[in-house]
Amino acid sequence: MTDPAFFRTLVEQHHGIVCTVDAEGRWTYLNPAWERITGYARQDSLGRPFFDFVLEEDRDACRLHLHGLMQGVKATSRHETRYRARDGRILWFQVHADRLCDEVGTPVGAYGTMTDVSERVAAEQNLRRKSELLELALESTSDALWDWSADTGELWLSPRWKEQLGYGDGELPNLLGACMDLVLEEDRTLVHDRFQAALAGASPGFEVTVRMRHRDGSIRHMRVRARVLDDGAGRARRVVGVTEDVSEQWRRQEALSEQARDLHRAHRIARIGWWRLRAGMSELEWSPESFAIAGADPGSFRPTIGWVLDRVHPEDRPLLVTALERLAADGRPQAVEYRFRDKAGRDLVIWSNAQCERNARGEVIAFFGVSQDITERREVEQSLRRKRRFIELLLKDAARGISAFDAQGRYTLWNPAMQAITGLPAGEAIGRTPAELFPDIADHRVEEARRRTLAGEAVSLREQPYEMPRTGRKGFFDAHYTPILEADGRVGGGLAIMIDVTDRVEAERRRRELEAQLAQRHRLEALGTLAGGVAHEVNNRLQPILALSELLLMNATPDTREDLDDIRRSALAARDIVRQVLAFSGGRRPGWSGSGLSGPGQNLSAPAGANLPALDLSDLVRKVLTLLRPTLPPLVRLASRLEPVPPLAGDPLQLEQMVINLITNALHALEGMPDGRVEVEVRADGGGVDLVVSDNGCGMEEGVLERVFDPFFTTKDVGKGTGLGLSVVRTIVQLHGGTIGFDTAPNRGCRAHVRFPLAAPGAGS
């Protein structure tokens, strides 16, 4: 065939580059493959020297090749050289060039082909690198080796060989039988047969992969490579080899096989099938998945192109016919989507993509393509479009301000509620940043929330104050920021929902005011209860005063000064109780003032232990017990164990009140008991002084113990207590830097344990 058009078509469709250059090396012709392979446009390349595209290091060699052709040194040039593609890649080309002469034989240029061999060159380079690494590894390692002597039966195993199976160097005997015992029974025959065949001279060596049991019980795949060394006369003397743990490779291979099976299942699930239409024929070749898409049994009939076209929707049939005609005309792949009715009468949406199959001469011999049933996808897309419209309507009518912004902080969404809040229409907000929209507003919390959202974090702001310059609107809002993720997981922007909570904030403020007023009212109502408590506590202090007064009246002598002092201290203690009640009624706790309690309304003005006298706690308790013994119920025994203890810094009146309250609390727990007992103990322990008051009374339940220090909380009958006793005790203990706790249970008595720190060196006396 000499038709020029045929040859031109052949050159144009050639997979490699076909080109011509003039005597100076300028391109005069390039087929389309040049643009496809290198990325350079043909029109921009023609007229330029081909040296411009050659890698700089190879240009001189290319000039010599062209010079040799033009000078007649050689008629043909075969060489490989490197070109730089438009995207910067380095391409290797195998160049076949011949001299091009005019009618009188004068060289005027060259013509030839350029075949892209980049992959082959890369593979060769990679192979060389791997060979070098392998040689280096074999030269530098002696691990995982073994050597067996045919003469003596001795076996040498390298430490690495044993290590691969979890054994130390001395833990596995160097015996062939011991190694064979590690091979799974199913694989031993294979190893034995290969070993014996090599010894018999049937092969110079062998390679086999077997399963061996690791010391930890796991199964390892081991590749054994062996070489037989003879004595020169053909008799085997030694067998040496290398054992390699290839378990990971087996796992990867199994994973690849599983992936292949998964891919096959995925094709079935995704309903993708292939088809082939041979040139000049009407019958189609279908894969099983193609039959499944059509709803047909592979053995029931042979599909034809006519059968398919008859089942294509009439409106889509021209699209499919045009795609096949274009495929036949220019050979470029064609993709088309059309509606199709299967044999069961179901209407499907099919996507097909096809390309030409060619023989060695480049002739089209068939059309090959894939078809996928995308009916469900199109239905989902239609549903998504409906949902998108629904969401748009929701955004439009939502009462909450909703906005979205991109990765640069520019607004991409602005619903009508945002316009109502800010006074800015969507047309002004979209595409601009908050700094551009509100230059006079600088709120670091909002900016920080937006920054954290773009970093991938969901952020919420509560009761954020705002004032919109355009509308003058003021109030508070809650804002919720959520990152918007792209398909690849990157944060592409954020969504902000703004809720005006001005009414809620104002209502909460009003509620707090009302609660404060109600609490004050309750405190005032409690004053009546406090008055009864004051009377009760004062009465407890007046009893010893009355008792001592009677003694003084009967035995008034000058020697009774100590008793008179006791009377005075009791009177002072009674006054102190009155002050505490007044302090509680004013909403304050008792405080320190010099050597005693402050007056009503005064607060703590110095830390615990400041400017306080040093006193002996045992001596103080002894005096309190002397005062209380005459007032004890007749059936209650009061015992004490008062050890000598180091001094502690404290207010004596406060500490006396604490001891009285603890003993009084114990006495209340003994009411109605015929053998009540109260024990008071003072002892030194480590760096402090302990006071322990215990009784064998009714004890306390867990719920009572949790509230035992609450002011006004009491388990006594009305009129028998105010609930202030233990609250005052805890206040005194804390003001002295101490701690207090209870060990109690119902019907098992109670043990109060108070611990005080020692007085600092130099404390007053």
Side-chain angles (χ1 to χ4, degrees):
M1 180 180 295
T2 59
D3 184 4
F6 170 77
F7 286 107
R8 186 170 188 84
T9 300
L10 186 62
V11 170
E12 291 285 322
Q13 295 183 355
H14 195 271
H15 67 280
I17 298 173
V18 180
C19 58
T20 62
V21 298
D22 60 16
E24 283 73 32
R26 293 186 292 266
W27 297 117
T28 56
Y29 173 77
L30 290 165
N31 73 334
W34 166 261
E35 187 170 330
R36 174 173 52 81
I37 295 174
T38 68
Y40 295 107
R42 287 195 295 170
Q43 295 302 321
D44 295 340
S45 303
L46 292 175
R48 293 177 59 185
F50 75 89
F51 311 117
D52 293 349
F53 303 91
V54 176
L55 207 64
E56 186 174 354
E57 295 89 332
D58 296 352
R59 290 178 183 174
D60 290 341
C62 290
R63 289 190 178 94
L64 289 176
H65 288 302
L66 179 62
H67 180 75
L69 289 175
M70 295 299 100
Q71 297 301 318
V73 177
K74 54 184 178 180
T76 302
S77 177
R78 302 288 186 270
H79 62 277
E80 291 184 358
T81 188
R82 294 171 293 176
Y83 277 65
R84 188 175 296 279
R86 183 169 185 171
D87 59 8
R89 291 178 298 121
I90 295 177
L91 304 175
W92 278 90
F93 285 104
Q94 187 178 67
V95 181
H96 294 249
D98 293 326
R99 185 169 54 247
L100 183 64
C101 301
D102 58 12
E103 293 82 354
V104 297
T106 302
V108 295
Y111 69 94
T113 61
M114 296 168 56
T115 304
D116 184 1
V117 294
S118 302
E119 293 184 1
R120 190 206 72 198
V121 172
E124 291 173 350
Q125 293 174 345
N126 187 40
L127 180 60
R128 282 196 296 271
R129 285 194 298 270
K130 289 183 178 179
S131 298
E132 293 171 356
L133 291 174
L134 179 59
E135 291 176 0
L136 179 62
L138 292 176
E139 291 174 358
S140 61
T141 184
S142 59
D143 290 344
L145 303 178
W146 55 272
D147 185 353
W148 179 78
S149 173
D151 295 332
T152 64
E154 294 181 352
L155 176 66
W156 173 82
L157 298 173
S158 69
R160 176 58 181 158
W161 194 98
K162 299 178 182 180
E163 182 183 338
Q164 286 182 336
L165 293 172
Y167 292 93
D169 190 22
E171 294 181 333
L172 185 68
N174 290 354
L175 298 174
L176 187 61
C179 297
M180 289 294 291
D181 288 342
L182 298 178
V183 179
L184 259 62
E185 187 174 357
E186 299 90 332
D187 296 348
R188 290 177 189 169
T189 302
L190 175 63
V191 178
H192 179 270
D193 293 346
R194 295 288 182 89
F195 200 92
Q196 294 301 321
L199 290 177
S203 63
F206 64 90
E207 179 177 332
V208 63
T209 300
V210 297
R211 293 166 295 172
M212 301 184 72
R213 190 174 300 281
H214 193 274
R215 185 176 182 179
D216 62 10
S218 62
I219 304 301
R220 304 295 176 91
H221 288 81
M222 311 297 291
R223 179 186 295 147
V224 182
R225 289 173 290 176
R227 174 72 61 181
V228 178
L229 305 179
D230 58 26
D231 58 1
R235 189 171 68 88
R237 300 295 301 274
R238 294 167 56 205
V239 182
V240 297
V242 178
T243 302
E244 179 186 4
D245 187 347
V246 295
S247 302
E248 185 61 30
Q249 299 177 25
W250 275 80
R251 282 191 288 270
R252 287 199 298 266
Q253 184 61 39
E254 182 62 26
L256 289 175
S257 300
E258 182 65 24
Q259 289 177 3
R261 291 190 292 269
D262 290 344
L263 181 61
H264 184 66
R265 287 194 294 266
H267 283 171
R268 287 203 309 270
I269 295 172
R271 292 176 64 81
I272 299 176
W274 61 263
W275 54 268
R276 179 180 286 107
L277 176 62
R278 298 192 180 276
M281 300 180 64
S282 63
E283 288 189 355
L284 287 166
E285 296 179 32
W286 271 3
S287 69
E289 286 77 15
S290 293
F291 279 98
I293 292 173
D297 183 0
S300 62
F301 79 113
R302 296 185 64 83
T304 64
I305 187 64
W307 184 87
V308 172
L309 291 175
D310 287 342
R311 292 187 169 272
V312 174
H313 193 282
E315 296 178 0
D316 298 341
R317 197 173 298 152
L319 297 176
L320 185 57
V321 172
T322 301
L324 292 173
E325 291 174 346
R326 289 178 179 173
L327 184 62
D330 55 27
R332 291 185 297 178
Q334 299 290 322
V336 64
E337 182 178 315
Y338 53 90
R339 289 165 289 179
F340 177 84
R341 177 164 293 179
D342 67 4
K343 290 194 68 174
R346 296 173 301 172
D347 292 326
L348 310 176
V349 179
I350 305 297
W351 175 86
S352 292
N353 193 2
Q355 61 183 13
C356 293
E357 286 186 353
R358 301 178 185 273
N359 58 18
R361 297 186 299 275
E363 299 169 342
V364 177
I365 59 174
F367 300 144
F368 180 84
V370 293
S371 295
Q372 181 180 15
D373 180 3
I374 60 172
T375 307
E376 185 176 351
R377 183 198 307 173
R378 290 294 176 259
E379 291 174 350
V380 170
E381 290 174 353
Q382 186 176 1
S383 175
L384 288 176
R385 284 193 293 270
R386 289 195 298 267
K387 291 180 179 179
R388 182 188 181 101
R389 179 57 182 163
F390 176 71
I391 292 174
E392 290 175 351
L393 293 175
L394 285 180
L395 291 175
K396 180 180 179 181
D397 298 334
R400 298 179 176 183
I402 302 175
S403 62
F405 48 91
D406 60 19
Q408 287 71 44
R410 295 185 295 265
Y411 285 110
T412 58
L413 173 67
W414 192 269
N415 77 333
M418 287 295 295
Q419 177 176 341
I421 295 173
T422 64
L424 292 172
E428 294 185 27
I430 299 298
R432 302 175 68 185
T433 65
E436 295 171 342
L437 293 177
F438 312 108
D440 298 330
I441 300 178
D443 194 318
H444 66 92
R445 288 185 61 197
V446 175
E447 289 303 315
E448 175 67 11
R450 290 167 62 86
R451 185 192 64 78
R452 289 167 57 189
T453 301
L454 292 177
E457 182 181 353
V459 183
S460 294
L461 297 179
R462 287 184 55 82
E463 300 180 1
Q464 180 71 14
Y466 72 85
E467 180 177 358
M468 295 302 167
R470 180 171 293 192
T471 62
R473 182 173 178 175
K474 296 181 181 180
F476 298 86
F477 67 85
D478 286 353
H480 305 280
Y481 294 85
T482 305
I484 299 175
L485 302 181
E486 303 290 353
D488 58 0
R490 293 182 297 105
V491 177
L495 178 70
I497 301 178
M498 178 178 173
I499 309 169
D500 193 316
V501 295
T502 305
D503 293 342
R504 188 191 73 193
V505 172
E506 291 299 322
E508 179 67 17
R509 182 186 61 80
R510 179 59 181 163
R511 183 186 65 81
R512 288 194 297 267
E513 291 178 354
L514 293 176
E515 286 179 349
Q517 295 173 6
L518 182 61
Q520 180 64 18
R521 180 178 178 182
H522 287 167
R523 293 174 65 184
L524 294 176
E525 291 175 351
L527 289 178
T529 304
L530 282 172
V534 170
H536 173 69
E537 295 291 346
V538 171
N539 184 60
N540 287 340
R541 295 299 189 271
L542 290 178
Q543 288 182 14
I545 295 175
L546 294 174
L548 291 174
S549 298
E550 292 177 0
L551 290 174
L552 289 172
L553 289 174
M554 291 184 298
N555 303 294
T557 66
D559 299 331
T560 60
R561 181 168 297 280
E562 182 177 355
D563 293 336
L564 292 174
D565 289 338
D566 290 339
I567 294 172
R568 177 178 177 276
R569 296 209 335 268
S570 294
L572 291 175
R575 186 194 66 181
D576 187 53
I577 292 174
V578 174
R579 288 181 177 178
Q580 290 180 52
V581 172
L582 294 176
F584 274 110
S585 66
R588 299 176 178 84
R589 285 187 173 184
W592 294 94
S593 178
S595 61
L597 285 169
S598 65
Q602 292 179 316
N603 291 318
L604 185 65
S605 59
N611 301 318
L612 298 178
L615 54 85
D616 187 326
L617 184 60
S618 292
D619 184 61
L620 182 143
V621 171
R622 187 177 294 107
K623 293 178 180 179
V624 171
L625 295 179
T626 301
L627 296 175
L628 290 180
R629 287 187 190 279
T631 67
L632 292 177
L635 298 180
V636 175
R637 291 185 294 110
L638 178 61
S640 63
R641 187 168 59 192
L642 310 176
E643 300 177 359
V645 294
L648 59 87
D651 184 278
L653 294 179
Q654 282 288 316
L655 295 178
E656 286 179 5
Q657 179 184 345
M658 174 199 70
V659 176
I660 291 173
N661 283 7
L662 288 175
I663 296 175
T664 302
N665 193 71
L667 293 174
H668 282 302
L670 298 174
E671 289 183 356
M673 296 185 62
D675 57 344
R677 184 177 70 257
V678 177
E679 295 180 0
V680 182
E681 179 183 4
V682 176
R683 64 175 183 265
D685 184 12
V689 176
D690 294 340
L691 167 67
V692 180
V693 178
S694 57
D695 64 75
N696 62 343
C698 60
M700 290 184 285
E701 297 178 350
E702 184 176 355
V704 174
L705 183 61
E706 291 177 353
R707 300 186 58 193
V708 71
F709 294 121
D710 289 351
F712 311 123
F713 173 76
T714 180
T715 59
K716 303 179 182 67
D717 295 336
V718 177
K720 291 187 177 182
T722 64
L724 285 174
L726 291 180
S727 177
V728 170
V729 168
R730 183 176 67 169
T731 301
I732 295 172
V733 171
Q734 291 177 343
L735 292 176
H736 283 80
T739 60
I740 182 171
F742 289 92
D743 181 14
T744 181
N747 301 318
R748 293 180 56 186
C750 179
R751 183 173 181 268
H753 184 185
V754 181
R755 183 174 178 81
F756 294 106
L758 298 178
S765 59

